[in-house]
Amino acid sequence: MRLRALISRFALTVAVSGLAAGGLALPAHAESEVGDFAYVGILSPETVTVINGQSKTVKFDLYNLSTVTAERVVLHFGSTAKPISADLGFTAPAGCDETSCVIGDLKPGQRRGVKFTVKPTALDPAKSIVLSTSVGGQASDETSIAVVGTDKAGADIEVDDIADLKLSAGGSAEVPVRIRNSGNKDVTALGLVVAAPAGLTPALNYSNCEQDPDLGGFVCVFNDTLAAGGVFSLPENTPLRIKVPAGVAGPYDYPVLVAAVGLTDKYVFDFAKRTAGASGRELKLESAASISAKEPDAVDDLNEDDNFSEFTVSVPKTAADSAAVGGVFKGEAGDDRTVKVGVHNLGPSGTIPPGLAWIQYAHVKLPTGVLLTTVDMRCIPGTSPTDIDETVTDLSEVTDLICIVLESVPDDGRYLFTLSAEIQDAEHKAGSVTVDGGVQDAKRGNNRAALTVETTGGTGGGLPITGAPAGMVAGGGVVLLAAGLIAFRLARRRRIVTVVE
């Protein structure tokens, strides 16, 4: 299966990792904490290969990787030091000039797709296009794309852009899919990959489609030749549909990925054996254009970064009643006891998945007279996501924790955090567990529960507890977790196109 890694599409992971290390703040914001300013990153291919004499459309994305709205975003082409060479035949996106493009405002986590065209007249040596973003007139991100020419024949599969959808719980819609081969070599077999996050359901109940848990989506196999210059689409009688089941949380923009890849004969043969006897109709492709190509020596897909299209399904606001779950440390002085505290979603829908705009959390205030011995890895010393306690170096110092909910909690589901503490021979004043239910939670009366100590007799106490908290202690940890969600999406893209032949 010709599914290679989209390494350049994974570049944002490196950027996020740099943020996590605390060293990727821009000079203009060097004294700001991560997330206090708007940062718009560029996610683009590192290299674009153009068949000599042809033009090539280059697609890339802009992401607001901050927790605040990025205002007055501008995308810049080239720079004073590195202007775009005339030999590249650069054509700016529609509505933009040759040096810049006004993007406008981007909300936290929002993606904006951009594309331009090149038609080089000379590519010896290869030349680069510098891209950069600014927010409110301040520099944000910068990268470059190398443009390389080739005389070799090769397929170049592309998936056309897919518009975002708006669907309420229980709704569904057809997704228009167009796959083209802009190269000069035929693709003899084609694979269609559709991946959606937990909560959305691609409707692909066809005999030539199977669910692949490793890819986190569906794979459909077409033993049809996509000729050079050809275009395939899904006909009306066998469409791709996306369904939003009842109970899915909103407001939230759920990402969906549609990718197309060339397949080896071996993969097609193995797939046919696995799906032999499968019931249901066969998902078909219909040709919209065809220009036959000769059969030169086989080469890989020239540009794998545009083998997919990502779109979002926007689900409007739903209700979810988040109730706090408390607990009791019960035992004698000196005993080490464990509690599980957190969130109980009383429905009727799931809770919003984590994102840059909002992450659900529980604030755990410990009762007095206990010393923590074990802290859940999802918990951070502090009282709120904006008040992380970076001074804590010893478990005995911890009095408050912020515990992060890293996934959507379904209706009547619980998301709990495990804490262990040694009961001390001291006064025990009750603590609490307080959950943030966000915009979905209209019933605030159950957002707090008690966390107490119940002694059963005995005196004394154990040895002093030492050691750093087991959870995260780095400042801005909550923000970085949110930024990591974007990186996770990109990692999933990479995984989809990293299947062994």
Side-chain angles (χ1 to χ4, degrees):
M1 191 176 189
R2 292 179 178 175
L3 305 174
R4 306 279 187 189
L6 298 185
I7 297 175
S8 60
R9 282 283 167 180
F10 197 51
L12 185 56
T13 306
V14 178
V16 173
S17 297
L19 285 172
L24 200 59
L26 296 175
H29 306 283
E31 296 181 359
S32 298
E33 292 186 4
V34 174
D36 288 344
F37 62 93
Y39 177 81
V40 176
I42 304 170
L43 182 63
S44 66
E46 293 177 348
T47 303
V48 170
T49 301
V50 184
I51 298 173
N52 290 338
Q54 295 189 10
S55 63
K56 175 64 181 176
T57 298
V58 181
K59 300 196 300 182
F60 59 99
D61 292 323
L62 305 179
Y63 275 99
N64 178 3
L65 291 175
S66 52
T67 59
V68 296
T69 297
E71 299 179 342
R72 296 187 291 126
V73 178
V74 178
L75 172 66
H76 305 273
F77 308 112
S79 65
T80 302
K82 297 180 180 179
I84 297 177
S85 171
D87 293 340
L88 287 174
F90 173 82
T91 301
C96 307
D97 61 41
E98 293 299 305
T99 60
S100 64
C101 191
V102 176
I103 302 300
D105 296 348
L106 296 177
K107 66 182 183 180
Q110 184 176 355
R111 175 185 65 90
R112 179 71 58 84
V114 185
K115 55 187 175 182
F116 60 78
T117 303
V118 290
K119 189 174 183 179
T121 57
L123 284 175
D124 189 14
K127 296 177 174 63
S128 294
I129 296 175
V130 174
L131 302 174
S132 60
T133 56
S134 63
V135 180
Q138 297 291 322
S140 191
D141 192 20
E142 181 176 311
T143 189
S144 63
I145 301 175
V147 182
V148 179
T150 183
D151 287 321
K152 293 182 179 181
D156 191 359
I157 300 171
E158 301 175 355
V159 176
D160 285 4
D161 293 339
I162 300 173
D164 294 338
L165 301 173
K166 292 184 178 180
L167 294 173
S168 297
S172 66
E174 291 187 10
V175 178
V177 177
R178 285 176 66 87
I179 305 166
R180 63 183 68 244
N181 180 5
S182 63
N184 59 1
K185 182 183 184 300
D186 295 350
V187 178
T188 57
L190 201 64
L192 178 69
V193 180
V194 181
L200 300 189
T201 306
L204 286 169
N205 188 25
Y206 298 106
S207 60
N208 57 325
C209 299
E210 67 174 357
Q211 194 162 10
D212 189 324
D214 291 333
L215 295 179
F218 286 82
V219 179
C220 302
V221 172
F222 306 93
N223 202 10
D224 300 307
T225 298
L226 177 57
V231 179
F232 276 153
S233 62
L234 297 180
E236 292 182 359
N237 61 335
T238 58
L240 163 63
R241 295 188 67 85
I242 290 291
K243 295 182 179 180
V244 180
V248 169
Y252 196 78
D253 295 336
Y254 292 89
V256 181
L257 197 69
V258 176
V261 290
L263 304 179
T264 62
D265 292 340
K266 182 180 185 304
Y267 185 89
V268 174
F269 178 76
D270 291 342
F271 182 90
K273 287 198 302 182
R274 289 198 306 271
T275 58
S279 59
R281 293 181 299 165
E282 182 179 356
L283 182 63
K284 297 287 188 180
L285 292 173
E286 60 183 9
S287 179
S290 180
I291 302 175
S292 182
K294 294 180 181 180
E295 281 294 328
D297 293 338
V299 295
D300 291 334
D301 193 316
L302 295 176
N303 296 284
E304 292 173 328
D305 293 84
D306 53 14
N307 282 36
F308 64 86
S309 179
E310 181 181 348
F311 65 99
T312 61
V313 177
S314 181
V315 176
K317 180 180 175 180
T318 60
D321 180 12
S322 293
V325 178
V328 180
F329 293 103
K330 185 176 181 179
E332 299 179 358
D335 289 345
D336 193 21
R337 292 293 183 259
T338 298
V339 297
K340 291 186 177 182
V341 300
V343 181
H344 180 195
N345 177 19
L346 302 178
S349 79
T351 60
I352 300 171
L356 281 167
W358 180 77
I359 295 181
Q360 187 172 35
Y361 69 94
H363 170 209
V364 180
K365 184 173 183 59
L366 295 171
T368 62
V370 298
L371 289 178
L372 282 177
T373 57
T374 305
V375 181
D376 196 293
M377 288 296 294
R378 296 162 294 178
C379 296
I380 311 165
T383 59
S384 77
T386 57
D387 185 21
I388 304 300
D389 189 351
E390 301 178 56
T391 65
V392 173
T393 59
D394 191 284
L395 282 173
S396 63
E397 302 172 10
V398 176
T399 59
D400 294 82
L401 292 165
I402 295 298
C403 297
I404 311 302
V405 179
L406 295 177
E407 59 190 50
S408 174
V409 184
D411 178 20
D412 199 31
R414 292 173 181 259
Y415 195 92
L416 302 179
F417 308 94
T418 301
L419 306 174
S420 296
E422 184 182 282
I423 300 173
Q424 302 294 293
D425 184 14
E427 181 182 10
H428 301 115
K429 292 183 179 180
S432 61
V433 178
T434 305
V435 300
D436 176 13
V439 297
Q440 294 179 287
D441 191 359
K443 301 178 181 179
R444 307 284 178 166
N446 57 4
N447 287 169
R448 177 175 292 191
L451 179 58
T452 61
V453 178
E454 182 180 331
T455 56
T456 58
T459 59
L463 295 173
I465 307 298
T466 60
M472 292 175 295
V473 295
V478 177
V479 172
L480 297 173
L481 279 172
L485 296 170
I486 300 292
F488 171 75
R489 286 167 60 182
L490 304 179
R492 241 175 89 210
R493 287 184 181 178
R494 182 183 184 218
R495 184 177 181 84
I496 285 173
V497 290
T498 316
V499 177
V500 178
E501 303 215 6

